[in-house]
Amino acid sequence: MAKGKWAQGIQPRHFRWVIEGKLAVCERPGGFGPNHRRVRRQEEIIWIRENGFDFVVSLIPANHHLHSYDELGVAWKHWPLTPSLDWRAAFAKIYPELHRLLGSGSRLLVHGDDLNDRLAGLLAGYLVWSGMVPHPTQAIVIMERILGRQIGPEGRTMVAIAGELDTDLEATDASPAHGTIEAAGESA
């Protein structure tokens, strides 16, 4: 039986495909700060579930919002990006896991509080690290077009760092498929 309009949920704000049908970004479901609404969060998570995303990847440093995904039956990963993070160490863990997930056919939705420089830098950096885009400058331009905004100094620095990293795409199969990725280590 077909589901009604409201049973299908509401598309999250600023939803964009980075890799069509595989990797998307959006603002935090329900909004952030004073604009956050519990009912909107629920409707947006329902939309995520009903549109076949295998995982929501939260880049928000805090973890208090993750229970909302559990309540609505949506699998999640928590990769907190804090301002003091060692980007090289974090990317060494995040990029192989992201590559493994995408290579396994998983559909991912990545979000921060908003479409900020950390989110843009992380994903533009992944495009370079994975070899999809050969040069950091090209990745920045592509991500700016996708997001409809410029990437500032923090995001550009992240892309430059990603461009300097060694890429061992063969080793990505050994990455764990669950848990929180942090610069200092991984916890399930």
Side-chain angles (χ1 to χ4, degrees):
M1 179 173 10
K3 294 184 178 185
K5 178 181 175 184
W6 296 113
Q8 296 172 17
I10 299 169
Q11 181 174 305
R13 284 190 182 170
H14 305 294
F15 177 86
R16 309 270 194 291
W17 286 108
V18 175
I19 302 171
E20 190 69 36
K22 291 184 171 191
L23 177 63
V25 297
C26 70
E27 174 182 289
R28 176 184 176 182
F32 70 100
N35 295 322
H36 185 79
R37 300 290 180 265
R38 187 183 61 80
V39 172
R40 187 177 124 204
R41 177 183 65 216
Q42 183 177 11
E43 291 295 324
E44 290 178 358
I45 294 172
I46 289 169
W47 184 91
I48 292 164
R49 183 187 67 208
E50 296 302 312
N51 280 275
F53 285 93
D54 296 300
F55 294 98
V56 169
V57 178
S58 175
L59 305 179
I60 297 170
N63 64 3
H64 62 271
H65 63 289
L66 299 173
H67 69 89
S68 300
Y69 300 121
D70 290 331
E71 291 169 2
L72 292 167
V74 174
W76 55 268
K77 295 188 175 291
H78 188 218
W79 300 346
L81 298 186
T82 61
S84 62
L85 201 59
D86 174 350
W87 296 123
R88 287 184 201 301
F91 293 166
K93 294 177 181 294
I94 291 172
Y95 288 158
E97 175 70 355
L98 181 56
H99 194 73
R100 188 194 67 73
L101 289 167
L102 292 172
S104 73
S106 293
R107 287 173 48 125
L108 307 177
L109 178 63
V110 179
H111 78 81
D113 276 329
D114 58 355
L115 300 184
N116 60 28
D117 274 2
R118 284 187 210 130
L119 174 67
L122 175 78
L123 295 178
Y126 173 74
L127 296 177
V128 174
W129 178 89
S130 67
M132 290 181 190
V133 177
H135 301 290
T137 306
Q138 290 175 314
I140 289 168
V141 170
I142 289 168
M143 194 58 59
E144 286 177 340
R145 287 183 183 154
I146 289 169
L147 300 180
R149 65 176 290 276
Q150 286 189 319
I151 298 176
E154 182 180 33
R156 290 170 183 270
T157 298
M158 293 169 71
V159 179
I161 291 168
E164 297 169 357
L165 297 174
D166 288 332
T167 304
D168 185 5
L169 299 179
E170 305 280 321
T172 59
D173 291 337
S175 299
H178 61 279
T180 298
I181 293 180
E182 300 173 11
E186 227 172 270
S187 61

